[in-house]
Each structure stands twice: as structure tokens, then as C-alpha cells.
Amino acid sequence: MSRILQHAHQTLIQALSPQAVVVDATVGNGLDTAFILRHDVIKHVFAFDVQEDAINTARILNPSYKVTWILDTHANVDLYVDACDGVIFNLGFLPGSPSSVTTTKTDVLLALDKLQHILKPNGVIVIVVYPSHPEGILEHLALQEWIQGLTHPFYSYEYKRTYHDTAPYVITIYKQKNSSK
Ligand SMILES: C[S@@+](CC[C@H](N)C(=O)[O-])C[C@H]1O[C@@H](n2cnc3c(N)ncnc32)[C@H](O)[C@@H]1O
């Protein structure tokens, strides 16, 4: 696993308390879901993907009663989730698949706008960004602009291992405590 993904996983898990509810916004092959489920603090995972094949593969890898599998876009997260403690987005294409389905800036930003309200105080959103393909560049640019507009109780930071424009990186967004937003 890449150091970038390791960083995303550790950041997510370290921010969670017992009985945590987590949204896996991009299930793919289910490896991120599997990582999340390995931790005792997890009460439930809401797992989204728009590809039925991805959901089916991930479900076989993770036969857990703790997961609600949702074949829908993360942009509809508010239809399924009232409150959560952590969210992970692993943007881009399904690894190892011939499918050309990729995440889009439109749906990611729609989901993030909604998650600002769904995320509980002390919650965290972790986004792995890949600005190495056309839609990934659009997502990167849109996310940079969106982050500039974040105000209290939210703050963010980025983790990057190399400074190539196309290198993957992680955006982490925290929601501070004592907030009613
Ligand atoms: C990079 S892969 C995720 C990798 C995955 N987390 C894993 O552990 O294997 C991105 C996934 O996002 C899914 N996706 C694309 N658009 C989506 C959307 N609007 N809502 C939810 N999932 C989406 C794709 O189908 C793809 O499976």
C-alpha cells in the first residue's frame, strides 16, 4: 500500500472514538472498508459506490453486519446518513478495472457540502486526490478552491510526499468541537 494511503488510513482511524460511524464514500474493491472494519472502535460503515461490480466485490471481501452497502452516488449521502464521525474519499478509477467510471468534482463537492452538516463535532474527512488524469486535475483544482472557503468550525491540512504537480496527496478536514453547525 502506498504511503499516501497509509497516511489517509491512519489519519482517519486516529480521529475516531468508540462507536464511530464512518462513511466510505468510494468503496471500489473494498480495501479501505476492510481497513476500517479491522478497528474495534467502528460501530457502522456506510459504503457508497456507483458501480454494482464494485459493491459486489467489496461485499464479498467484507461480509460484515456492520456495513450498509449503498449503490448510489456519494452526492446523495444525506439520503442515507444522519450523522457520522469520519469519512474517506479515495478518488479516481476503480483499481484494476477496465471501467472508465471515475469520481467527479461535481459529486465530490456536492457530497462535501452535505457532509459539513452530517459530520459530528470532532469528526474528520479524509480525501485522497490523484491529479494525474484529466478529471483528477479538475477535482484537485475544485477542491483547492473549496478548501479556501472553509471557515470555523472547519480547518484543513494537506499531506504530500513529493512536490510534483501530478503526485497524489491527502486533504484532511477536521470539524472542531463545540460547534452546532
Ligand atoms: C479509487 S476507487 C476507490 C478505491 C477503494 N476505496 C478501494 O479500497 O479499493 C474510486 C471508486 O469511486 C467510485 N465512484 C465514482 N463516482 C462515484 C460517486 N459519485 N459516488 C460513489 N462512488 C463513486 C468508482 O466507481 C470507484 O470504484
Side-chain angles (χ1 to χ4, degrees), residues 11-32:
T11 303
L12 174 70
I13 292 301
Q14 280 166 14
L16 300 179
S17 304
Q19 297 293 300
V21 173
V22 173
V23 172
D24 183 347
T26 53
V27 164
N29 290 322
L31 300 177
D32 296 333

Side-chain angles (χ1 to χ4, degrees), residues 7-127:
H7 175 86
H9 283 175
Q10 291 311 322
T11 303
L12 174 70
I13 292 301
Q14 280 166 14
L16 300 179
S17 304
Q19 297 293 300
V21 173
V22 173
V23 172
D24 183 347
T26 53
V27 164
N29 290 322
L31 300 177
D32 296 333
T33 314
F35 172 80
I36 294 163
L37 287 171
R38 260 180 244 134
H39 296 81
D40 290 341
V41 292
I42 301 300
K43 178 180 172 197
H44 202 78
V45 181
F46 290 92
F48 289 80
D49 205 292
V50 287
Q51 297 195 72
E52 196 165 8
D53 284 356
I55 293 279
N56 290 339
T57 305
R59 196 197 292 264
I60 291 167
L61 180 68
N62 299 288
S64 171
Y65 66 91
K66 290 185 176 179
V67 187
T68 301
W69 301 102
I70 301 164
L71 179 60
D72 198 355
T73 168
H74 39 232
N76 287 334
V77 61
D78 56 319
L79 302 183
Y80 305 91
V81 186
D82 293 331
C84 68
D85 304 280
V87 182
I88 185 164
F89 286 83
N90 193 348
L91 301 180
F93 298 94
L94 183 60
S97 161
S99 164
S100 59
V101 176
T102 182
T103 53
T104 63
K105 66 169 191 175
T106 307
D107 278 17
V108 172
L109 292 192
L110 271 171
L112 286 174
D113 285 340
K114 293 176 175 179
L115 283 165
Q116 281 189 283
H117 302 283
I118 293 168
L119 192 68
K120 291 199 237 165
N122 273 340
V124 67
I125 301 173
V126 178
I127 310 169

